[in-house]
Amino acid sequence: EPEVTQTPSHQVTQMGQEVILRCVPISNHLYFYWYRQILGQKVEFLVSFYNNEISEKSEIFDDQFSVERPDGSNFTLKIRSTKLEDSAMYFCASSENEPVATELNTEAFFGQGTRLTVV
Amino acid sequence: RKEVEQDPGPFNVPEGATVAFNCTYSNSASQSFFWYRQDCRKEPKLLMSVYSSGNEDGRFTAQLNRASQYISLLIRDSKLSDSATYLCVVTASSGGSYIPTFGRGTSLIVHP
């Protein structure tokens, strides 16, 4: 069964360092997302990506964050200068179609996540 | 006002019980609705989509009430393995795109 894969599973970094979280979405999917979940809290939307550009981003996704789809396969999230409060589980997700009522196959499938710990 | 609201629980039920969760959403233009399941420190996994006519998948039944802006999940004959957090997901427009938005989740504990 196709799945979204994320690497690394766990990343420890020092405050102020740059990190790149990697994701390989399901191959025929067109919509890509990054979410984060701080321990014990809800899953929060960061950014969505379609047709090689950001389609939406949340208030969390400030100038320290960026996303790329460099080679048609990988989908990366970069945090330029990490802060302690960036410590969280970061989930990548993809869907075949945009989640609107008129479409089928709109479910988002999630990767296993990268646990980022900023020390 | 929160976009997607759920009772956090926990719901503590014996094996074999029937349990129901509700979720309310604030955006009347919301398009798609889903229930996900999340085990501790794991990724959300799709449990089922929720259709306007309601739908059933084995022991699980989902309902959508657009007029009252809520969705529900009913679990019959609960198993120990059903213990998890159940996440309500609603797609709502944000600047033109529809983004899956999560509720905080409802915790279910099924005990012997």
Side-chain angles (χ1 to χ4, degrees):
Chain A
E1 182 176 322
E3 59 180 17
V4 177
T5 57
Q6 288 186 244
T7 54
S9 57
H10 193 184
Q11 173 95 41
V12 181
T13 188
Q14 286 199 325
M15 192 169 56
Q17 295 296 303
E18 174 183 286
V19 294
I20 297 176
L21 310 183
R22 303 180 192 280
C23 169
V24 179
I26 295 172
S27 61
N28 66 327
H29 285 189
L30 301 176
Y31 294 83
F32 313 114
Y33 310 89
W34 281 102
Y35 287 82
R36 80 170 186 191
Q37 187 175 32
I38 295 170
L39 188 63
Q41 298 189 24
K42 65 182 286 186
V43 177
E44 300 175 289
F45 169 72
L46 293 178
V47 65
S48 61
F49 194 87
Y50 169 71
N51 200 25
N52 286 321
E53 61 182 19
I54 291 174
S55 47
E56 292 297 334
K57 57 185 180 179
S58 71
E59 291 175 353
I60 303 169
F61 194 87
D62 61 22
D63 292 343
Q64 294 297 313
F65 292 87
S66 62
V67 288
E68 266 194 329
R69 189 159 159 79
D71 55 12
S73 173
N74 292 286
F75 179 49
T76 62
L77 174 70
K78 182 192 292 186
I79 309 175
R80 287 190 188 81
S81 178
T82 50
K83 302 186 281 290
L84 294 177
E85 54 264 37
D86 293 328
S87 295
M89 193 75 152
Y90 287 81
F91 293 111
C92 171
S94 68
S95 64
E96 187 174 339
N97 290 315
E98 188 176 26
V100 295
T102 51
E103 293 280 358
L104 297 176
N105 301 323
T106 63
E107 310 84 25
F109 292 89
F110 284 75
Q112 292 181 312
T114 293
R115 181 168 299 284
L116 177 65
T117 304
V118 183
V119 298
Chain B
R1 183 180 174 183
K2 295 177 184 175
E3 292 183 41
V4 182
E5 291 204 58
Q6 294 182 253
D7 179 348
F11 285 62
N12 206 320
V13 303
E15 270 187 291
T18 295
V19 62
F21 310 132
N22 282 336
C23 164
T24 59
Y25 59 95
S26 60
N27 188 337
S28 60
S30 294
Q31 290 282 315
S32 301
F33 308 88
F34 308 92
W35 283 102
Y36 281 73
R37 168 197 170 122
Q38 187 176 31
D39 293 291
C40 188
R41 297 188 177 232
K42 299 287 189 182
E43 77 275 22
K45 290 190 175 178
L46 179 69
L47 183 64
M48 57 199 305
S49 304
V50 187
Y51 303 122
S52 296
S53 55
N55 47 301
E56 188 173 308
D57 183 1
R59 298 182 293 110
F60 300 86
T61 301
Q63 297 279 351
L64 167 63
N65 185 319
R66 283 191 183 272
S68 300
Q69 295 183 204
Y70 77 83
I71 67 172
S72 63
L73 177 68
L74 182 78
I75 305 176
R76 289 180 298 278
D77 188 23
S78 300
K79 311 290 184 194
L80 295 177
S81 57
D82 292 335
S83 297
T85 297
Y86 289 83
L87 305 173
C88 172
V89 178
V90 176
T91 64
S93 177
S94 175
S97 297
Y98 283 84
I99 304 301
T101 302
F102 283 76
R104 291 188 63 91
T106 298
S107 175
L108 173 65
I109 301 169
V110 182
H111 59 81

